Amino acid sequence: MQGSTTGSTTPFEVAVVGAGAAGLASALGSAQAGIPTALVGRHAPVADGRTVALLDGSVRFLQALGAWDEVGERASPLCTLQIIDDTGSLFRPPPARFHSAEIGLDAFGWNVESAHLVAALRRCARSQPNLTLIESDATGAEPGEANSRITLADGGVVEARLVVGADGGRSPLRAASGVPVREWNYPQAAITTILAHDKSHDDVSTEFHTRSGPFTLVPMSGGFRSSLVWVAGKAPAERLAALDDAALAEAVERQARGMLGRMRIDGPRGLVPLRGLLASTPVAARLALVGEAAHVFPPIGAQGLNLGLRDAACIRDAVVRAHRDGRDPGGRAVLAAYAAGRRIDAAARTAAVDVLNRSLLTDLLPLDLARGLGLLAMTHLGPLRRIVMREGVLPRFGAPELMRVKRA
Protein backbone atom coordinates (compact mmCIF):
# COMPACT_ATOMS: atom_id res chain seq x y z
CA MET A 1 0.00 0.00 0.00
CA GLN A 2 1.24 3.47 -0.83
CA GLY A 3 0.08 6.78 0.41
CA SER A 4 0.74 10.33 1.55
CA THR A 5 0.39 11.59 5.10
CA THR A 6 0.18 15.31 4.45
CA GLY A 7 -2.21 16.69 7.02
CA SER A 8 -2.62 13.30 8.68
CA THR A 9 -1.37 12.25 12.11
CA THR A 10 -2.86 8.75 12.28
CA PRO A 11 -0.34 6.86 14.41
CA PHE A 12 1.40 3.72 13.23
CA GLU A 13 2.85 1.16 15.59
CA VAL A 14 6.18 1.34 13.74
CA ALA A 15 7.63 3.83 11.25
CA VAL A 16 10.87 2.89 9.50
CA VAL A 17 12.88 5.81 8.10
CA GLY A 18 15.18 4.81 5.24
CA ALA A 19 14.42 2.80 2.10
CA GLY A 20 17.64 0.82 1.72
CA ALA A 21 17.90 -2.92 2.26
CA ALA A 22 18.01 -2.75 6.09
CA GLY A 23 15.06 -0.36 6.22
CA LEU A 24 12.97 -2.37 3.77
CA ALA A 25 13.66 -5.58 5.69
CA SER A 26 12.75 -3.91 9.00
CA ALA A 27 9.45 -2.63 7.60
CA LEU A 28 8.53 -5.93 5.95
CA GLY A 29 9.35 -7.86 9.13
CA SER A 30 6.94 -5.93 11.34
CA ALA A 31 4.22 -5.55 8.69
CA GLN A 32 4.16 -9.29 7.98
CA ALA A 33 3.51 -9.88 11.67
CA GLY A 34 0.29 -7.85 11.34
CA ILE A 35 1.71 -4.66 12.84
CA PRO A 36 0.65 -1.36 11.17
CA THR A 37 3.91 -0.04 9.73
CA ALA A 38 5.06 2.93 7.64
CA LEU A 39 8.18 3.03 5.48
CA VAL A 40 9.40 6.58 5.02
CA GLY A 41 11.95 7.34 2.30
CA ARG A 42 12.57 7.67 -1.41
CA HIS A 43 14.03 4.85 -3.45
CA ALA A 44 17.33 6.02 -4.92
CA PRO A 45 19.49 3.11 -6.11
CA VAL A 46 23.19 3.79 -6.73
CA ALA A 47 24.92 2.02 -9.64
CA ASP A 48 28.51 1.69 -8.43
CA GLY A 49 29.27 -1.96 -9.07
CA ARG A 50 28.68 -3.02 -5.49
CA THR A 51 27.40 -6.46 -4.61
CA VAL A 52 26.54 -8.02 -1.28
CA ALA A 53 27.47 -11.50 -0.08
CA LEU A 54 24.35 -12.56 1.81
CA LEU A 55 25.36 -15.08 4.45
CA ASP A 56 23.20 -18.05 5.40
CA GLY A 57 21.28 -16.27 8.17
CA SER A 58 20.46 -13.34 5.89
CA VAL A 59 19.19 -15.74 3.22
CA ARG A 60 16.87 -17.35 5.79
CA PHE A 61 15.56 -13.89 6.72
CA LEU A 62 14.92 -12.97 3.08
CA GLN A 63 13.14 -16.30 2.57
CA ALA A 64 10.84 -15.50 5.49
CA LEU A 65 10.15 -12.04 4.03
CA GLY A 66 9.21 -13.56 0.65
CA ALA A 67 12.03 -11.83 -1.25
CA TRP A 68 14.50 -14.65 -1.70
CA ASP A 69 13.02 -16.36 -4.78
CA GLU A 70 13.58 -13.23 -6.86
CA VAL A 71 16.96 -12.43 -5.31
CA GLY A 72 18.17 -16.02 -5.61
CA GLU A 73 17.53 -16.12 -9.36
CA ARG A 74 20.48 -13.75 -9.85
CA ALA A 75 22.68 -14.79 -6.92
CA SER A 76 25.78 -16.97 -6.99
CA PRO A 77 26.61 -19.46 -4.21
CA LEU A 78 29.78 -18.97 -2.19
CA CYS A 79 30.78 -22.57 -1.53
CA THR A 80 34.48 -22.04 -0.86
CA LEU A 81 36.34 -19.13 0.71
CA GLN A 82 40.04 -18.82 -0.15
CA ILE A 83 42.50 -16.52 1.61
CA ILE A 84 45.89 -15.81 0.05
CA ASP A 85 48.56 -13.88 1.95
CA ASP A 86 50.13 -11.48 -0.55
CA THR A 87 51.77 -9.15 1.99
CA GLY A 88 55.33 -10.33 1.39
CA SER A 89 55.64 -11.09 5.11
CA LEU A 90 58.41 -13.36 6.41
CA PHE A 91 55.65 -15.33 8.16
CA ARG A 92 53.43 -15.72 5.12
CA PRO A 93 51.22 -18.82 5.54
CA PRO A 94 50.12 -20.96 2.57
CA PRO A 95 46.71 -20.25 0.99
CA ALA A 96 43.80 -21.34 3.18
CA ARG A 97 40.51 -22.77 1.89
CA PHE A 98 37.27 -23.06 3.83
CA HIS A 99 34.40 -25.20 2.48
CA SER A 100 30.76 -24.67 3.44
CA ALA A 101 30.13 -28.43 3.45
CA GLU A 102 32.39 -28.67 6.53
CA ILE A 103 29.68 -26.98 8.60
CA GLY A 104 26.75 -28.66 6.86
CA LEU A 105 25.83 -25.84 4.45
CA ASP A 106 25.41 -25.89 0.68
CA ALA A 107 26.97 -22.42 0.65
CA PHE A 108 28.29 -19.88 3.15
CA GLY A 109 26.13 -17.35 1.39
CA TRP A 110 25.09 -15.93 -1.96
CA ASN A 111 26.48 -12.94 -3.86
CA VAL A 112 24.08 -10.58 -5.62
CA GLU A 113 24.10 -7.03 -6.93
CA SER A 114 23.02 -4.59 -4.22
CA ALA A 115 20.63 -2.80 -6.58
CA HIS A 116 18.87 -6.08 -7.40
CA LEU A 117 18.44 -6.93 -3.71
CA VAL A 118 16.89 -3.54 -2.95
CA ALA A 119 14.59 -3.74 -6.00
CA ALA A 120 13.33 -7.19 -4.93
CA LEU A 121 12.62 -6.00 -1.39
CA ARG A 122 10.90 -2.92 -2.77
CA ARG A 123 8.56 -5.03 -4.90
CA CYS A 124 7.65 -7.10 -1.83
CA ALA A 125 6.98 -3.91 0.12
CA ARG A 126 4.59 -2.56 -2.53
CA SER A 127 2.26 -5.53 -2.13
CA GLN A 128 2.61 -6.06 1.62
CA PRO A 129 -0.54 -5.59 3.72
CA ASN A 130 -0.14 -3.43 6.85
CA LEU A 131 2.68 -1.48 5.17
CA THR A 132 2.27 2.10 3.96
CA LEU A 133 5.00 3.45 1.70
CA ILE A 134 5.61 7.17 2.12
CA GLU A 135 7.74 8.51 -0.74
CA SER A 136 9.25 11.46 1.09
CA ASP A 137 12.39 12.16 3.07
CA ALA A 138 12.13 12.63 6.82
CA THR A 139 13.47 15.95 8.09
CA GLY A 140 13.24 15.18 11.79
CA ALA A 141 11.61 13.17 14.54
CA GLU A 142 10.43 14.42 17.93
CA PRO A 143 9.68 11.79 20.58
CA GLY A 144 6.67 12.31 22.82
CA GLU A 145 5.11 10.53 25.75
CA ALA A 146 3.02 8.15 23.62
CA ASN A 147 4.29 8.61 20.04
CA SER A 148 7.15 10.02 18.03
CA ARG A 149 6.29 12.71 15.48
CA ILE A 150 8.18 12.51 12.17
CA THR A 151 8.20 15.57 9.91
CA LEU A 152 8.52 15.09 6.16
CA ALA A 153 10.15 17.14 3.42
CA ASP A 154 6.79 17.42 1.62
CA GLY A 155 5.18 19.03 4.68
CA GLY A 156 3.51 15.90 5.93
CA VAL A 157 3.67 14.34 9.36
CA VAL A 158 3.85 10.71 10.47
CA GLU A 159 3.28 9.56 14.03
CA ALA A 160 4.43 6.19 15.35
CA ARG A 161 4.98 4.56 18.71
CA LEU A 162 8.41 3.38 17.54
CA VAL A 163 10.71 4.90 14.93
CA VAL A 164 13.33 2.64 13.34
CA GLY A 165 16.22 4.72 12.03
CA ALA A 166 17.62 3.08 8.89
CA ASP A 167 18.73 6.36 7.34
CA GLY A 168 22.39 5.57 6.73
CA GLY A 169 25.82 6.32 8.09
CA ARG A 170 25.15 10.06 8.33
CA SER A 171 21.75 9.42 9.95
CA PRO A 172 19.85 12.67 10.68
CA LEU A 173 17.65 10.79 13.16
CA ARG A 174 20.68 9.56 15.11
CA ALA A 175 22.21 13.02 15.11
CA ALA A 176 18.95 14.62 16.30
CA SER A 177 18.60 12.05 19.08
CA GLY A 178 21.97 12.98 20.56
CA VAL A 179 23.33 9.41 20.53
CA PRO A 180 27.14 9.71 20.80
CA VAL A 181 29.17 8.03 18.09
CA ARG A 182 32.82 7.14 17.57
CA GLU A 183 33.97 7.87 14.01
CA TRP A 184 37.26 7.22 12.25
CA ASN A 185 38.74 7.25 8.76
CA TYR A 186 41.15 4.85 7.09
CA PRO A 187 43.92 5.91 4.68
CA GLN A 188 42.26 3.76 2.02
CA ALA A 189 39.50 3.62 -0.56
CA ALA A 190 37.78 0.67 -2.21
CA ILE A 191 37.37 0.26 -5.95
CA THR A 192 34.20 -1.68 -6.76
CA THR A 193 33.08 -3.06 -10.10
CA ILE A 194 31.91 -6.21 -11.88
CA LEU A 195 34.25 -8.29 -14.02
CA ALA A 196 33.88 -10.86 -16.78
CA HIS A 197 36.68 -13.44 -17.04
CA ASP A 198 37.76 -16.38 -19.21
CA LYS A 199 38.02 -19.03 -16.48
CA SER A 200 35.18 -20.20 -14.24
CA HIS A 201 35.30 -19.10 -10.61
CA ASP A 202 33.88 -22.50 -9.55
CA ASP A 203 31.92 -20.79 -6.72
CA VAL A 204 35.19 -19.87 -4.97
CA SER A 205 35.49 -16.44 -3.34
CA THR A 206 39.14 -15.36 -3.16
CA GLU A 207 40.58 -12.73 -0.85
CA PHE A 208 44.19 -11.60 -1.30
CA HIS A 209 45.65 -9.93 1.79
CA THR A 210 47.96 -7.16 0.61
CA ARG A 211 49.86 -4.39 2.36
CA SER A 212 47.25 -1.87 1.23
CA GLY A 213 44.23 -3.96 2.26
CA PRO A 214 42.18 -6.88 0.95
CA PHE A 215 41.73 -7.50 -2.78
CA THR A 216 38.61 -9.66 -3.12
CA LEU A 217 36.97 -11.45 -6.05
CA VAL A 218 33.48 -12.74 -5.26
CA PRO A 219 31.61 -15.11 -7.62
CA MET A 220 28.56 -13.91 -9.53
CA SER A 221 25.96 -16.01 -11.33
CA GLY A 222 26.90 -17.73 -14.60
CA GLY A 223 30.37 -18.87 -13.55
CA PHE A 224 32.35 -16.31 -15.58
CA ARG A 225 31.62 -13.05 -13.76
CA SER A 226 32.86 -11.81 -10.38
CA SER A 227 32.49 -8.69 -8.29
CA LEU A 228 35.60 -6.82 -7.22
CA VAL A 229 36.38 -5.03 -3.97
CA TRP A 230 39.95 -3.72 -4.22
CA VAL A 231 41.07 -1.86 -1.11
CA ALA A 232 44.12 0.34 -1.67
CA GLY A 233 45.67 3.53 -0.37
CA LYS A 234 43.67 6.62 -1.30
CA ALA A 235 46.11 7.96 -3.91
CA PRO A 236 46.70 4.56 -5.61
CA ALA A 237 42.95 3.89 -5.56
CA GLU A 238 42.28 7.22 -7.24
CA ARG A 239 44.89 6.46 -9.91
CA LEU A 240 43.32 3.05 -10.56
CA ALA A 241 39.84 4.57 -10.71
CA ALA A 242 41.06 7.03 -13.35
CA LEU A 243 42.17 4.23 -15.72
CA ASP A 244 40.05 3.31 -18.71
CA ASP A 245 38.24 -0.03 -18.64
CA ALA A 246 40.92 -1.95 -20.52
CA ALA A 247 43.76 -0.68 -18.33
CA LEU A 248 41.84 -1.31 -15.12
CA ALA A 249 40.94 -4.85 -16.22
CA GLU A 250 44.61 -5.50 -16.95
CA ALA A 251 45.61 -4.19 -13.50
CA VAL A 252 43.01 -6.43 -11.82
CA GLU A 253 44.17 -9.45 -13.82
CA ARG A 254 47.75 -8.80 -12.76
CA GLN A 255 46.82 -8.38 -9.08
CA ALA A 256 44.79 -11.63 -9.24
CA ARG A 257 47.84 -13.45 -10.64
CA GLY A 258 45.83 -14.43 -13.71
CA MET A 259 43.87 -17.00 -11.71
CA LEU A 260 40.65 -16.26 -13.63
CA GLY A 261 42.30 -15.62 -17.00
CA ARG A 262 41.68 -12.56 -19.15
CA MET A 263 39.34 -10.00 -17.64
CA ARG A 264 37.16 -7.13 -18.78
CA ILE A 265 35.05 -4.60 -16.92
CA ASP A 266 31.40 -5.68 -17.14
CA GLY A 267 29.50 -3.27 -14.93
CA PRO A 268 29.48 0.15 -13.28
CA ARG A 269 32.36 1.28 -11.10
CA GLY A 270 32.61 2.90 -7.68
CA LEU A 271 35.29 4.48 -5.51
CA VAL A 272 34.37 4.32 -1.82
CA PRO A 273 36.46 6.04 0.89
CA LEU A 274 36.89 3.72 3.88
CA ARG A 275 35.53 4.92 7.20
CA GLY A 276 34.21 3.52 10.43
CA LEU A 277 31.47 4.48 12.86
CA LEU A 278 29.96 2.89 15.95
CA ALA A 279 27.06 4.34 17.92
CA SER A 280 27.49 4.12 21.70
CA THR A 281 23.98 2.67 21.85
CA PRO A 282 21.52 1.68 19.11
CA VAL A 283 18.54 3.26 20.90
CA ALA A 284 17.20 6.59 22.10
CA ALA A 285 13.75 7.83 23.12
CA ARG A 286 11.26 5.92 20.90
CA LEU A 287 14.08 5.27 18.42
CA ALA A 288 15.95 2.10 17.40
CA LEU A 289 18.89 2.33 14.99
CA VAL A 290 19.59 -0.36 12.39
CA GLY A 291 22.20 -0.83 9.67
CA GLU A 292 24.67 1.95 8.97
CA ALA A 293 22.78 4.33 11.24
CA ALA A 294 24.28 2.23 14.06
CA HIS A 295 27.57 0.99 12.60
CA VAL A 296 29.77 1.55 9.55
CA PHE A 297 32.93 -0.33 8.65
CA PRO A 298 34.97 -1.24 5.57
CA PRO A 299 33.66 -3.71 2.93
CA ILE A 300 35.70 -6.58 4.38
CA GLY A 301 34.53 -10.05 5.33
CA ALA A 302 30.94 -9.64 4.11
CA GLN A 303 29.86 -8.29 7.51
CA GLY A 304 28.31 -4.87 6.79
CA LEU A 305 24.84 -5.50 5.37
CA ASN A 306 24.60 -8.90 7.06
CA LEU A 307 24.99 -7.13 10.39
CA GLY A 308 22.34 -4.61 9.32
CA LEU A 309 19.93 -7.39 8.40
CA ARG A 310 20.52 -8.96 11.82
CA ASP A 311 19.56 -5.60 13.32
CA ALA A 312 16.37 -5.63 11.23
CA ALA A 313 15.51 -9.20 12.27
CA CYS A 314 16.17 -8.40 15.94
CA ILE A 315 14.02 -5.25 16.05
CA ARG A 316 11.30 -7.26 14.32
CA ASP A 317 11.50 -9.84 17.13
CA ALA A 318 11.34 -7.11 19.80
CA VAL A 319 8.33 -5.44 18.17
CA VAL A 320 6.48 -8.73 17.66
CA ARG A 321 6.97 -9.73 21.31
CA ALA A 322 5.73 -6.32 22.47
CA HIS A 323 2.70 -6.52 20.17
CA ARG A 324 1.87 -10.04 21.37
CA ASP A 325 2.07 -8.95 25.04
CA GLY A 326 0.18 -5.69 24.53
CA ARG A 327 3.23 -3.57 25.41
CA ASP A 328 4.41 -0.29 23.91
CA PRO A 329 6.91 -1.15 21.10
CA GLY A 330 8.67 2.15 21.71
CA GLY A 331 8.83 1.73 25.47
CA ARG A 332 12.06 1.72 27.42
CA ALA A 333 11.97 -1.97 28.30
CA VAL A 334 11.55 -3.04 24.67
CA LEU A 335 14.34 -0.74 23.47
CA ALA A 336 16.65 -1.81 26.31
CA ALA A 337 16.24 -5.46 25.32
CA TYR A 338 17.00 -4.65 21.68
CA ALA A 339 20.09 -2.63 22.67
CA ALA A 340 21.43 -5.37 24.92
CA GLY A 341 21.31 -7.88 22.08
CA ARG A 342 22.83 -5.68 19.41
CA ARG A 343 25.54 -3.72 21.22
CA ILE A 344 27.92 -6.66 21.70
CA ASP A 345 27.41 -8.10 18.19
CA ALA A 346 28.04 -4.75 16.50
CA ALA A 347 31.07 -3.92 18.65
CA ALA A 348 32.64 -7.36 18.15
CA ARG A 349 32.18 -7.38 14.36
CA THR A 350 33.43 -3.80 14.05
CA ALA A 351 36.52 -4.58 16.12
CA ALA A 352 37.31 -7.75 14.16
CA VAL A 353 37.16 -5.98 10.80
CA ASP A 354 39.15 -3.02 12.13
CA VAL A 355 41.91 -5.23 13.55
CA LEU A 356 42.22 -7.27 10.34
CA ASN A 357 42.38 -4.18 8.15
CA ARG A 358 44.90 -2.35 10.32
CA SER A 359 47.08 -5.45 10.71
CA LEU A 360 47.56 -5.55 6.94
CA LEU A 361 48.78 -1.94 6.85
CA THR A 362 51.77 -2.52 9.12
CA ASP A 363 54.89 -4.62 8.57
CA LEU A 364 55.63 -5.10 12.27
CA LEU A 365 56.94 -8.65 12.66
CA PRO A 366 54.91 -9.51 15.78
CA LEU A 367 51.66 -8.61 14.01
CA ASP A 368 52.67 -10.50 10.88
CA LEU A 369 53.52 -13.52 13.02
CA ALA A 370 50.22 -13.35 14.92
CA ARG A 371 48.19 -13.03 11.72
CA GLY A 372 50.07 -15.88 10.05
CA LEU A 373 49.77 -18.20 13.06
CA GLY A 374 46.06 -17.41 13.35
CA LEU A 375 45.45 -18.39 9.73
CA LEU A 376 47.52 -21.54 10.12
CA ALA A 377 45.54 -22.49 13.24
CA MET A 378 42.23 -22.02 11.44
CA THR A 379 43.55 -24.10 8.55
CA HIS A 380 44.80 -27.07 10.54
CA LEU A 381 42.74 -27.20 13.76
CA GLY A 382 39.39 -28.72 12.77
CA PRO A 383 37.27 -27.63 15.79
CA LEU A 384 38.62 -24.06 15.72
CA ARG A 385 38.18 -23.95 11.95
CA ARG A 386 34.50 -24.96 12.20
CA ILE A 387 33.78 -22.55 15.08
CA VAL A 388 35.25 -19.62 13.12
CA MET A 389 33.27 -20.55 10.00
CA ARG A 390 29.99 -20.86 11.91
CA GLU A 391 30.50 -17.57 13.76
CA GLY A 392 31.37 -15.82 10.52
CA VAL A 393 28.11 -16.96 8.92
CA LEU A 394 25.78 -16.43 11.90
CA PRO A 395 26.41 -16.14 15.64
CA ARG A 396 25.42 -19.33 17.42
CA PHE A 397 23.79 -17.58 20.37
CA GLY A 398 21.19 -14.84 20.19
CA ALA A 399 20.25 -15.40 16.54
CA PRO A 400 16.92 -13.70 15.71
CA GLU A 401 13.92 -15.93 15.07
CA LEU A 402 13.73 -15.57 11.29
CA MET A 403 17.44 -16.36 10.88
CA ARG A 404 17.53 -19.54 12.93
CA VAL A 405 18.01 -22.99 11.46
CA LYS A 406 14.71 -24.83 11.77
CA ARG A 407 15.17 -28.02 13.77
CA ALA A 408 13.19 -31.14 12.90
Side-chain angles (χ1 to χ4, degrees):
M1 180 168 64
Q2 292 178 291
S4 170
T5 60
T6 304
S8 169
T9 57
T10 302
F12 293 90
E13 285 291 292
V14 177
V16 179
V17 176
L24 284 158
S26 298
L28 281 165
S30 60
Q32 284 188 0
I35 298 168
T37 303
L39 176 64
V40 179
R42 293 180 298 158
H43 179 47
V46 178
D48 61 0
R50 272 188 267 191
T51 64
V52 57
L54 296 164
L55 301 179
D56 185 68
S58 296
V59 171
R60 293 177 190 281
F61 188 29
L62 293 173
Q63 287 171 335
L65 297 179
W68 178 248
D69 284 350
E70 182 178 345
V71 173
E73 288 177 354
R74 293 172 61 177
S76 178
L78 309 180
C79 300
T80 301
L81 305 180
Q82 177 173 238
I83 299 176
I84 298 173
D85 190 312
D86 198 20
T87 61
S89 164
L90 292 174
F91 303 103
R92 182 170 49 187
R97 280 196 165 207
F98 304 90
H99 305 281
S100 60
E102 295 178 65
I103 54 172
L105 297 176
D106 293 332
F108 289 113
W110 299 74
N111 193 38
V112 68
E113 291 181 61
S114 300
H116 181 61
L117 169 63
V118 171
L121 286 167
R122 191 74 175 179
R123 278 188 278 275
C124 286
R126 289 195 180 104
S127 60
Q128 176 61 50
N130 302 309
L131 180 56
T132 300
L133 304 186
I134 299 169
E135 303 278 351
S136 180
D137 292 330
T139 58
E142 183 179 347
E145 185 175 339
N147 296 307
S148 192
R149 182 181 175 89
I150 303 168
T151 54
L152 306 178
D154 65 5
V157 171
V158 176
E159 289 193 3
R161 300 178 78 189
L162 170 68
V163 176
V164 176
D167 51 343
R170 308 194 187 279
S171 167
L173 292 185
R174 185 193 63 228
S177 75
V179 169
V181 297
R182 181 168 63 92
E183 295 186 76
W184 60 95
N185 294 306
Y186 295 96
Q188 300 154 287
I191 299 162
T192 60
T193 193
I194 293 169
L195 305 159
H197 40 77
D198 288 347
K199 297 180 182 178
S200 174
H201 51 58
D202 294 327
D203 300 330
V204 178
S205 179
T206 300
E207 184 172 290
F208 290 84
H209 288 175
T210 80
R211 282 297 182 206
S212 60
F215 169 92
T216 309
L217 296 167
V218 189
M220 295 188 69
S221 60
F224 295 90
R225 297 174 78 231
S226 295
S227 60
L228 169 73
V229 180
W230 188 350
V231 176
K234 285 184 178 178
E238 289 171 357
R239 287 195 294 271
L240 287 165
L243 297 175
D244 62 27
D245 282 357
L248 178 59
E250 185 178 347
V252 172
E253 184 182 329
R254 210 166 35 243
Q255 183 67 39
R257 303 180 182 178
M259 63 186 303
L260 294 176
R262 292 292 299 258
M263 292 186 169
R264 64 181 176 83
I265 305 301
D266 196 36
R269 298 200 215 171
L271 180 63
V272 185
L274 266 58
R275 57 187 288 259
L277 177 148
L278 185 63
S280 62
T281 174
V283 300
R286 295 203 171 275
L287 174 68
L289 301 174
V290 303
E292 291 195 342
H295 40 73
V296 176
F297 45 84
I300 297 171
Q303 293 299 317
L305 180 58
N306 287 286
L307 187 60
L309 291 176
R310 278 205 297 282
D311 295 338
C314 286
I315 194 61
R316 175 261 178 205
D317 285 0
V319 168
V320 168
R321 284 193 294 268
H323 184 71
R324 185 186 305 134
D325 298 340
R327 293 181 294 145
D328 181 355
R332 290 183 180 179
V334 174
L335 290 171
Y338 170 71
R342 300 312 302 140
R343 192 180 287 116
I344 294 174
D345 191 15
R349 303 280 160 168
T350 301
V353 170
D354 183 68
V355 168
L356 171 60
N357 187 46
R358 292 186 190 277
S359 74
L360 294 174
L361 300 180
T362 179
D363 58 1
L364 292 175
L365 292 182
L367 283 178
D368 278 347
L369 177 60
R371 189 178 63 249
L373 289 175
L375 194 56
L376 277 173
M378 284 190 291
T379 301
H380 296 292
L381 299 179
L384 174 64
R385 177 187 178 91
R386 288 187 287 274
I387 288 170
V388 170
M389 285 192 285
R390 287 193 186 100
E391 285 299 305
V393 172
L394 181 66
R396 185 174 180 182
F397 300 104
E401 181 181 346
L402 297 185
M403 288 188 170
R404 294 176 196 156
V405 176
K406 298 297 186 291
R407 302 297 182 188

